Amino acid sequence: LVSHLSKGHVSLMNIQHIIIDEADLIITHDFESDIKQIVLNMPSSNNKKRRAQIIMCSATLNPNTTKLQESFLMHHPTIIDIDGMNGKDGNAFN
C-alpha cells in the first residue's frame, strides 16, 4: 500500500476508519514508519468533518504502543482491559 501511495496510484482521502491490529508487532518488526505513512495519507485529523477513526489493537500495552497512538494524535483513547490489570502484565487492548 505504501508503494502505491508514493506512486499516486491510490488515495485514502475517502477512508473513514482504519484498524491497526497487532500494533506491538508492527513496532517490533519495524513497520511503524509504513503505518505512519498510511495514516498521514488519510483525511486530516485537523478537519473534523473528514477525520478518519483510528482503532489500534495490541496484545501488549507498553511505552512503544503508547508512543505510536500519540503519534496518530489519539487523544484520550479508550482502553479495553481484558484481565483487569490495566496492562500491568502486558495484556490489554488499546
Side-chain angles (χ1 to χ4, degrees), residues 23 26 34 44 75 88 93:
I26 287 170
D34 291 337
S44 172
H75 305 293
K88 293 178 182 142
F93 287 97

Side-chain angles (χ1 to χ4, degrees), residues 47-82:
N47 185 345
K48 301 259 186 237
K49 291 182 181 178
R50 299 195 61 215
R51 184 176 183 174
Q53 178 185 28
I54 300 171
I55 300 168
M56 190 171 83
C57 303
S58 178
T60 59
L61 185 60
N62 59 51
N64 290 330
T65 54
T66 302
K67 182 180 169 187
L68 183 62
Q69 82 186 18
E70 289 171 354
S71 72
F72 299 143
L73 303 175
M74 294 175 70
H75 305 293
H76 311 293
T78 300
I79 297 173
I80 301 170
D81 185 3
I82 301 299

Side-chain angles (χ1 to χ4, degrees), residues 1-2 5 11-13 15 18 20 32-46 52 54 71-73:
L1 182 58
V2 173
L5 284 169
S11 170
L12 302 179
M13 292 313 295
I15 297 295
I18 183 171
I20 303 169
E32 185 175 351
S33 63
D34 291 337
I35 296 299
K36 286 181 181 179
Q37 182 76 20
I38 291 166
V39 170
L40 287 173
N41 279 278
M42 292 173 49
S44 172
S45 62
N46 296 325
I54 300 171
S71 72
F72 299 143
L73 303 175

